[in-house]
Amino acid sequence: SQEELRRHLLARGWDVAQSTLSRDLHELRLARVPTGGGTRYVSTEQTADTEQGRLALETLLPQLFDRIDGVGELVVLHTLPGGAQPIAAAFDGAGWADVLGTVAG
């Protein structure tokens, strides 16, 4: 959590307000996503390097993927809560022209 991260920073001599930490996490393009035993922060930074995008998918999909649906040529990946944005960014970073990564509301 942000509060836990704030406590770790304070223990290392950085007294950071929660609002500042929240803004900094946003500027660093970090998102909190669920893992098997809790949550962690991951980068949502899109990259032009397609190999890094593919590696990001290999890392994120096993952790955040829930199920898949599809009709015709349309495929919908369902993720765990908080996982759609990092996976969409990884798809976009992979640079596949026929794949669109997006977050549905």
Side-chain angles (χ1 to χ4, degrees):
S1 70
Q2 285 187 15
E3 182 57 32
E4 184 179 0
L5 180 56
R6 198 179 77 71
R7 284 194 306 266
H8 284 292
L9 289 169
L10 185 59
R12 293 177 185 218
W14 294 82
D15 189 7
V16 180
Q18 189 277 330
S19 59
T20 302
L21 181 59
S22 179
R23 184 177 57 246
D24 289 347
L25 290 171
H26 178 74
E27 287 177 9
L28 290 169
R29 297 177 189 240
L30 297 175
R32 196 171 114 184
V33 297
T35 62
T39 59
R40 70 182 185 125
Y41 285 94
V42 298
S43 173
T44 62
E45 184 69 34
Q46 293 184 15
T47 176
D49 184 349
T50 58
E51 187 61 30
Q52 283 187 354
R54 289 183 185 131
L55 290 175
L57 278 173
E58 290 175 13
T59 302
L60 293 173
L61 279 176
Q63 297 176 31
L64 302 175
F65 176 74
D66 183 38
R67 71 182 195 282
I68 190 168
D69 288 326
V71 175
E73 296 178 6
L74 178 65
V75 175
V76 179
L77 299 179
H78 297 268
T79 67
L80 298 175
Q85 185 63 40
I87 288 178
F91 269 112
D92 289 343
W96 294 327
D98 55 344
V99 176
L100 172 66
T102 186
V103 179

